[in-house]
Amino acid sequence: MTVGQDELPERRDPVTLAEWIVDRAIASGAARGHEAIDAAAASLLPAGVAPELAERARLLAVGAYYDGRGDGLGGAAARLARARGALEPARRNVPDGRRLPYVGRVRSPWTTLEGMPLQTVAAGGVRGTVELRDDLAPAARDLGAFSHLWLLCDLHRSAGFELEVVPFLDTERRSLFATRSPRRPSPIGLSLVRLIGVEGAVLHVEELDLLDGTPVLDLKPYVPLFDSRPDVRSGWFSGVAARVFEVRSAARYQPPPEEGEGPA
């Protein structure tokens, strides 16, 4: 499967390329959706698409495919179309030339969503690093005196969103902004991690609930006087929050059986 530059979409953002990948996978007529997606994504590299962009688009296409729990490539195409539609107003609301550069990346033992803790409080003992850009090492000089950090991250494998979701910890549909779902109009993650030590531009951290390679937009020290409140209401979480220690993300992201596979 080969493709030329003139066959690629004019816009080269990950969601648009993921749509292109799924459309090409459908056109190939391949029976196994995941393999068709991989083949279509592989054709982006000879066409001059940057490897990191091609891989991000592939992951979005695969995620959209499996998120349907069995409705195939057609369902993946529909979900990506909704994601692209949601991006349009977001683009219009971003001032000209405005962008948020990454300050670093997370390195963690979690390479897939399966089995990953839902929150850092349930990730005791899980160690990793935040690798800052080398030029930002001086900005981390005084961090060693703090025990915890807020990490603001780009949830780069998240594609699209729904206005209502069924959270991992619940069985009822909840409005998106009343949940911690990673699929959001602006997929930004907020994680409170324990800081173990600082070595130049490398921060050693613990209690990680982020995928390996997650881009970091910013980080801030946790200050109890600023960040903790004595009188709070936890909404629907109040009855189910303790389940965070037993529930993992495996069930929702378990790929559906391919056609012809699975129990009879």
Side-chain angles (χ1 to χ4, degrees), residues 3-258:
V3 61
Q5 280 280 357
D6 57 342
E7 297 179 67
L8 294 175
E10 182 177 348
R11 179 169 279 162
R12 303 291 175 84
D13 63 87
V15 174
T16 303
L17 285 176
E19 275 192 292
W20 182 91
I21 288 171
V22 171
D23 287 345
R24 195 167 176 85
I26 292 172
S28 74
R32 295 175 64 88
H34 195 148
E35 292 180 2
I37 287 172
D38 287 347
S43 71
L44 292 173
L45 297 179
V49 176
E52 184 172 330
L53 177 57
E55 176 62 6
R56 184 168 181 181
R58 184 191 73 84
L59 290 170
L60 292 179
V62 170
Y65 174 64
Y66 283 135
D67 201 33
R69 303 292 296 158
D71 61 1
L73 288 168
R79 277 182 290 282
L80 287 168
R82 290 198 298 271
R84 179 171 50 79
L87 283 175
E88 293 307 320
R91 288 190 180 106
R92 290 194 294 269
N93 289 327
V94 175
D96 290 343
R98 177 69 169 167
R99 61 185 295 270
L100 294 177
Y102 298 158
V103 302
R105 288 188 182 272
V106 170
R107 296 302 173 192
S108 87
W110 307 115
T111 57
T112 68
L113 292 167
E114 297 177 19
M116 195 172 72
L118 301 183
Q119 298 290 324
T120 60
V121 70
V126 179
R127 292 198 173 195
T129 59
V130 176
E131 297 180 354
L132 299 175
R133 297 187 341 234
D134 289 340
D135 62 300
L136 296 178
R141 183 189 62 208
D142 297 321
L143 277 181
F146 295 89
S147 65
H148 290 76
L149 300 175
W150 289 111
L151 300 182
L152 284 80
C153 299
D154 174 6
L155 303 180
H156 63 313
R157 294 195 189 179
S158 178
F161 66 94
E162 303 290 343
L163 299 180
E164 293 185 348
V165 298
V166 179
F168 281 109
L169 300 178
D170 202 11
T171 57
E172 297 183 28
R173 296 191 71 81
R174 305 289 182 180
S175 60
L176 174 64
F177 291 142
T179 75
R180 298 290 189 97
S181 170
R183 298 183 63 214
R184 316 181 77 80
S186 294
I188 296 175
L190 177 67
S191 288
L192 180 63
V193 299
R194 182 183 299 275
L195 179 63
I196 305 301
V198 179
E199 288 184 315
V202 178
L203 313 180
H204 297 271
V205 297
E206 190 175 89
E207 300 171 9
L208 269 173
D209 65 343
L210 294 164
L211 288 172
D212 184 58
T214 296
V216 179
L217 296 168
D218 195 15
L219 54 93
K220 301 177 188 291
Y222 173 81
V223 181
L225 181 63
F226 301 163
D227 300 331
S228 179
R229 299 291 189 274
D231 300 317
V232 299
R233 299 194 307 274
S234 299
W236 65 268
F237 280 102
S238 60
V240 298
R243 296 187 62 223
V244 74
F245 296 102
E246 58 192 60
V247 176
R248 292 292 187 269
S249 62
R252 181 167 300 177
Y253 290 95
Q254 181 69 33
E258 294 281 1

